Amino acid sequence: MPLAGDGNLKVISAFFLIPRQADLDETFSVLPRMSYAQPFLDKPQRTDVLLMSPWLAPIMWEGTFNRDILNTQYRQKNLVVGVATFAVKKYVRFIEGFLRSVNIFFLSGHRVNFYLFTDHPEKVPSMKLAPEKRLFIIPVESYSRWQDISMNRMDIISSYIRNRWRYEVDYLYSMDIDVQLFEHIGVEIIDTLVGTISSWQYTKPRENNSYERRPESRAAIPRGEGDFYYAASFYGGSVSEVYKLTTACFKGVTEDRANGIEAKWHEESHLNKYLLYHKPTRLLSPEYYWDDELIRPPIIKVKRLSSVRKNLKEVRS
Amino acid sequence: MPCRRAGKSLLVIGLLTVIVPGLIWLTLWNGTVHYLPYYLPCPETFSMKLQYAEEKPVQLFHQLFYPQPRSLDQKRKDVLTLTPWLAPIVWDGTFNSEILDSAYKPLNLTIGVTAFAIGKYTRFVGRFIESAEKYFMKGYRVNYYIFSNEPQAIPRVQLQSGRSLSIVPVKKYSHWQEISMRRMEAINRHIADVSHREVNYLFCLDVDMVFHNPWGVETLGEMVAAIHPGYYKVHRSQFPYERRSSSAAFIPDSQGDFYYGGAVFGGLVKQVYEFTKACHMTILADKANGIMAAWQEESHVNRHFFSHKPSKLLSPEYIWDDTKPQPPEVHLIRFSTVNKNYREIRD
C-alpha cells in the first residue's frame, strides 16, 4: 500500500485529469478560513463566574465565546428568529427607543421578525429598519389592570405560535418593550430553551429568591428547591419549546385566577416554576437584562440590554 | 490533395488536444491537486436515507434536592469548561449526575458502543466489557457491538439486564493501519444496516482500553469528541495534525482548536452516521492520491471536527493514557489505555 507517496504518483495522474478544488470543498463543506486565538484547556477565560449549570447548560458571559465562529455556524442553518413585544397604554412611549436600539444591536446581520403588539398602532413611529429586520404591528386590546396585561402576554404568544409563528420563525423570544440595547446581543442566545438570570437576584441564596411560596398557587416552588431566579423580561427558545412554556404558564395563571390568588411576581413566578422543572438548555447572564436601578458591579463587564428608567407608578396608571 | 489536407488537419487537431488542455492546466494549477474518488468503491450505505428513532428532547425534571448552583461560584477555576463556540467541556465538578440522570432515565434511551477487536486485539474484549459493565452508563440500556474477524475468539462476558452484546463479522486487512482506517466504513455500514434502529446514541471506542470510573449521561450530546491526553497543553502548531497539503486531512499550522483522540467519539446516531461517512470519504480521497495521513483515521477525525465543531467535548479524564503521570487538573481517570507491546499485537 503506497505510504506518503505524494511525489511521483501525483505528477503522473495530474497530467490526465483536471483539478477540481471547488468540487472537493463542496463535498466536504469546509468552513471558511478564520483565524482566532487558540483555546487552551488549562487557561479558562473567566474564573469569577459560573460558566455552565450543573446540567451542562452554558451560561452566556462576556469573554467566553467567539461570535465569529458562532455566526459562521449559524449562517449555515438559514434560520429566522421572532421577537414578541407588547406596548400597551402608556408603554407606547418606549417603542421608538426599543426599535432604534434593537435595529442596531439585536442579532445584527441576521433575519429577525419583530412582532409588536399594541393598542395604539397609530402611535408606532415609522422607522427604517435594517434590511434583514421586519416589523409587524399587531393591534391588541388592553386590560384595566397592568398585571393582567402582563400575564395575558403568555396567552397571546401561545396562540400566535399555534396559529401563525410556527410557520414563520424557528426561534421565538419575548422581550419587554421598556428596554434598550447598548451592546450587541448575537446568536449566542439561540438555543432550544433560554432563560435570563435576574439582575436583582443572581447573588442570592435560593431561600431568599422571590419565588412564589404559597402552596395554593400553581407557581409555588417548595423550600429547598430552585436553581436561579429567571427574569420574565427576556426569555425564549425554539418555537415548540416556547409554545409549551407559554401554554403551561398561562394555564397556571388561569387556575390561580379561578382560585382567587395571584402569584407574587405574576407571570414571572409561573415562568420560574416552569424553568425549574424544564431546565433551560442555555442561560443568559444578567448582562442580557440589567435593571437600570442597580449599580453595575465590575463582574458584569457589559450591559447589553437594560431597562429604561421610569416612574413605575406613573407609567402603569 | 485530400491526403495532405487530412494530414494537416490531423496535425492541427493533435496539437490542439495537447496545447489546449495544457493551457487550461497551467491557468488553473494552483499548486495543489485534489480528486474526487468517483472511481473508488463508496459503500452503498452512503446514499441510503435512514429512518431514525424519534429524537427525544430532554425535559421534565422531577423534584430533586441538590445544592443550589450559584452564579458567582465556578467550581473548576483551573480548566477551560466552555469552548469559544459554547460547547461544554466535561470535567469532574462541572456537572451533577443526579440532575442529569433524572432527566435522561425517563427517556428510555439505548446507548450503543462500537469496538473493533481484530486479530490479536480480541484479547482486550474481556476486560473492556467487564469494566464497562461496572462503569459505563450504569442503569441504562446498552448495546455493545464488537466488530471482529474471529467471532469465536470473543469471550462471553456476563452482562447485566438491559444490556446486550452482538458480534459484527468484519474482514481483516493485511496492515494494521488499514484495519484502523477501515473502521469508519464499517461503523457507517453497521449504522445503516442495524444500529440506527436499535440505539439513540452511539459511542465509537477503542477496545484496548479499560473503564476505571463512572462514565454517564453527562457525555451525551449531538456530536461528542474527546481531547487527547498528550496534547492538551501545547500550542496548535505542535498538534500532530496532518501537515501535508496534498492530504484531505490537512490542517495548517495556524489553525486548529484542540487535538482530539480517535479512540473516543460519539453522539446521536444520525450525527455519527454523517461523521463516519465524511471521514471515510476523505480517507478514500487520500487513497486516490496515494497518501496516508500521519495518524491514520485520527487525522481525519481531527480535520472533520475542525470544520464541523463538536457540540460537546470530553476532558482527558475520558481518554487517558496510563503511561502518563496523572496531573492535578485530572481529578479522576474514567477510561484509559491498557499497557501493551504494540509491535507484538500489530503483526
Side-chain angles (χ1 to χ4, degrees):
Chain A
M1 180 180 62
L3 292 175
D6 44 324
N8 296 330
L9 196 62
K10 188 176 79 177
V11 168
I12 295 167
S13 328
F15 195 80
F16 295 104
L17 294 165
I18 296 174
R20 277 136 79 182
Q21 178 74 41
D23 276 352
L24 203 76
D25 279 357
E26 202 184 78
T27 311
F28 303 126
S29 334
V30 176
L31 265 188
R33 276 267 168 100
M34 278 193 290
S35 82
Y36 50 86
Q38 178 187 355
F40 281 95
L41 212 56
D42 53 345
K43 298 192 175 65
Q45 320 95 322
R46 284 188 75 156
T47 53
D48 52 346
V49 288
L50 188 66
L51 297 178
M52 274 197 303
S53 72
W55 58 93
L56 295 175
I59 306 178
M60 303 298 103
W61 292 94
E62 174 67 17
T64 60
F65 55 89
N66 180 321
R67 208 177 264 136
D68 291 330
I69 306 179
L70 294 173
N71 273 332
T72 314
Q73 291 177 322
Y74 182 81
R75 279 200 197 97
Q76 293 177 335
K77 297 178 204 166
N78 269 328
L79 298 168
V80 184
V81 172
V83 173
T85 185
F86 293 74
V88 169
K89 291 194 192 175
K90 292 189 183 168
Y91 277 72
V92 296
R93 71 175 74 154
F94 301 113
I95 295 178
E96 181 164 357
F98 176 86
L99 286 178
R100 216 178 277 286
S101 63
V102 293
N103 192 34
I104 304 171
F105 291 116
F106 189 79
L107 288 177
S108 169
H110 300 289
R111 288 178 62 192
V112 181
N113 291 353
F114 292 100
Y115 301 103
L116 174 60
F117 292 87
T118 179
D119 57 347
H120 289 286
E122 71 286 356
K123 291 208 178 142
V124 179
S126 68
M127 199 176 288
K128 193 159 158 52
L129 295 178
E132 326 77 34
K133 306 276 190 285
R134 290 164 73 189
L135 176 64
F136 297 88
I137 302 169
I138 305 170
V140 74
E141 63 171 281
S142 77
Y143 299 89
S144 48
R145 293 181 70 235
W146 70 264
Q147 295 91 332
D148 288 329
I149 297 172
S150 193
M151 293 193 289
N152 289 346
R153 292 188 298 178
M154 291 278 187
D155 183 37
I156 295 173
I157 291 175
S158 167
S159 62
Y160 266 80
I161 292 178
R162 191 176 57 243
N163 298 328
R164 180 178 164 182
W165 293 339
R166 63 183 165 138
Y167 306 113
E168 289 183 8
V169 301
D170 303 291
Y171 290 89
L172 187 80
Y173 289 81
S174 167
M175 279 168 80
D176 276 1
I177 190 78
D178 54 348
V179 302
Q180 281 199 27
L181 274 65
F182 297 95
E183 215 13 274
H184 283 281
I185 292 184
V187 298
E188 67 275 8
I189 66 168
I190 309 293
D191 206 328
T192 314
L193 186 58
V194 183
T196 307
I197 299 174
S198 161
S199 48
W200 282 92
Q201 310 202 34
Y202 69 100
T203 52
K204 286 192 191 168
R206 49 162 69 120
E207 311 79 67
N208 298 349
N209 269 339
S210 313
Y211 296 137
E212 173 57 65
R213 298 290 190 192
R214 293 167 295 172
E216 306 81 52
S217 167
R218 287 286 177 273
I221 292 178
R223 298 235 168 246
E225 287 182 55
D227 302 313
F228 302 96
Y229 190 81
Y230 302 104
S233 312
F234 188 16
Y235 65 87
S238 72
V239 149
S240 56
E241 287 304 317
V242 176
Y243 177 71
K244 287 188 224 164
L245 185 157
T246 48
T247 312
C249 286
F250 191 68
K251 184 159 173 277
V253 166
T254 318
E255 284 172 13
D256 271 7
R257 275 181 185 151
N259 292 339
I261 187 171
E262 192 170 272
K264 185 166 168 185
W265 287 103
H266 323 102
E267 84 276 16
E268 191 170 83
S269 308
H270 292 272
L271 176 80
N272 271 278
K273 169 131 187 200
Y274 185 85
L275 290 180
L276 173 61
Y277 297 117
H278 304 77
K279 298 207 188 304
T281 57
R282 190 165 289 202
L283 298 170
L284 306 181
S285 69
E287 295 169 7
Y288 289 79
Y289 181 75
W290 188 257
D291 194 319
D292 207 49
E293 291 184 38
L294 296 165
I295 300 169
R296 184 160 58 98
I299 221 164
I300 308 288
K301 295 188 175 172
V302 168
K303 184 180 67 173
R304 300 179 199 272
L305 190 158
S306 162
S307 61
V308 174
R309 253 183 217 279
K310 57 194 167 289
N311 181 333
L312 272 177
K313 205 176 290 179
E314 184 265 318
V315 79
R316 281 171 175 172
S317 60
Chain B
M1 288 218 242
C3 240
R4 210 192 267 166
R5 210 179 290 151
K8 214 181 198 172
S9 0
L10 272 175
L11 186 63
V12 170
I13 292 168
L15 280 173
L16 281 176
T17 50
V18 174
I19 291 172
V20 172
L23 284 173
I24 296 174
W25 188 253
L26 284 170
T27 49
L28 292 180
W29 178 279
N30 63 348
T32 59
V33 178
H34 296 274
Y35 303 96
L36 273 180
Y38 284 137
Y39 52 89
L40 281 175
C42 283
E44 59 284 355
T45 52
F46 277 11
S47 45
M48 276 174 67
K49 241 189 145 27
L50 303 175
Q51 288 296 114
Y52 297 98
E54 230 198 75
E55 202 179 308
K56 300 170 190 206
V58 177
Q59 274 297 306
L60 187 56
F61 292 70
H62 303 287
Q63 189 176 44
L64 270 188
F65 295 97
Y66 49 82
Q68 179 192 2
R70 303 301 298 271
S71 300
L72 303 183
D73 183 21
Q74 167 77 342
K75 292 277 180 312
R76 293 298 302 261
K77 296 192 208 274
D78 53 336
V79 288
L80 193 70
T81 52
L82 209 56
T83 67
W85 61 93
L86 296 170
I89 305 178
V90 185
W91 291 91
D92 173 57
T94 56
F95 61 92
N96 180 320
S97 296
E98 231 180 65
I99 303 181
L100 290 171
D101 277 334
S102 81
Y104 279 98
K105 283 235 166 90
L107 299 180
N108 271 328
L109 299 169
T110 308
I111 294 141
V113 178
T114 67
F116 284 71
I118 295 182
K120 295 191 180 163
Y121 276 71
T122 49
R123 70 179 68 166
F124 299 112
V125 175
R127 270 192 82 190
F128 177 86
I129 302 285
E130 266 164 30
S131 59
E133 284 296 288
K134 267 181 91 175
Y135 293 115
F136 182 81
M137 302 286 180
K138 260 199 105 73
Y140 292 86
R141 287 211 302 271
V142 173
N143 290 0
Y144 300 102
Y145 301 109
I146 306 294
F147 293 68
S148 182
N149 63 321
E150 281 176 82
Q152 64 280 13
I154 307 293
R156 297 278 169 270
V157 179
Q158 181 73 4
L159 298 177
Q160 287 153 41
S161 75
R163 295 160 90 103
S164 74
L165 188 149
S166 59
I167 299 172
V168 184
V170 290
K171 127 180 191 186
K172 178 175 193 260
Y173 291 90
S174 48
H175 293 82
W176 70 264
Q177 298 95 330
E178 186 70 14
I179 295 173
S180 195
M181 294 202 292
R182 286 279 174 184
R183 294 193 297 176
M184 292 294 174
E185 178 186 20
I187 293 169
N188 183 276
R189 212 184 267 274
H190 187 254
I191 293 176
D193 291 339
V194 175
S195 55
H196 79 274
R197 279 185 290 265
E198 296 185 351
V199 304
N200 308 97
Y201 291 90
L202 189 68
F203 280 98
C204 304
L205 307 177
D206 270 9
V207 79
D208 53 349
M209 299 182 68
V210 173
F211 293 90
H212 298 288
N213 270 295
W215 175 310
V217 290
E218 70 278 0
T219 58
L220 295 182
E222 261 195 51
M223 194 68 224
V224 183
I227 299 173
H228 196 287
Y231 302 94
Y232 67 93
K233 287 191 194 175
V234 309
H235 191 264
R236 52 169 52 133
S237 56
Q238 290 163 49
F239 289 162
Y241 289 146
E242 173 53 63
R243 300 294 187 188
R244 290 165 296 181
S245 56
S246 49
S247 167
F250 169 62
I251 299 179
D253 269 359
S254 56
Q255 313 248 303
D257 305 308
F258 302 97
Y259 191 74
Y260 303 106
V264 172
F265 63 88
L268 283 171
V269 72
K270 170 166 67 172
Q271 301 292 343
V272 177
Y273 176 73
E274 297 297 329
F275 180 77
T276 48
K277 182 200 306 197
C279 282
H280 188 59
M281 287 197 65
T282 47
I283 289 173
L284 286 182
D286 271 7
K287 257 195 194 319
N289 285 350
I291 186 171
M292 186 180 74
W295 286 99
Q296 295 83 46
E297 82 279 10
E298 187 173 85
S299 307
H300 291 273
V301 164
N302 271 279
R303 170 71 237 192
H304 286 285
F305 278 143
F306 174 59
S307 21
H308 298 81
K309 301 195 189 300
S311 63
K312 185 177 277 191
L313 262 52
L314 304 181
S315 65
E317 295 168 9
Y318 292 84
I319 178 177
W320 194 250
D321 180 349
D322 257 353
T323 59
K324 294 190 174 7
Q326 188 173 343
E329 56 268 6
V330 178
H331 293 175
L332 70 165
I333 292 169
R334 301 175 196 265
F335 188 56
S336 120
T337 51
V338 171
N339 267 330
K340 57 193 164 289
N341 180 337
Y342 280 103
R343 204 176 305 156
E344 188 253 318
I345 41 173
R346 275 174 177 172
D347 61 26

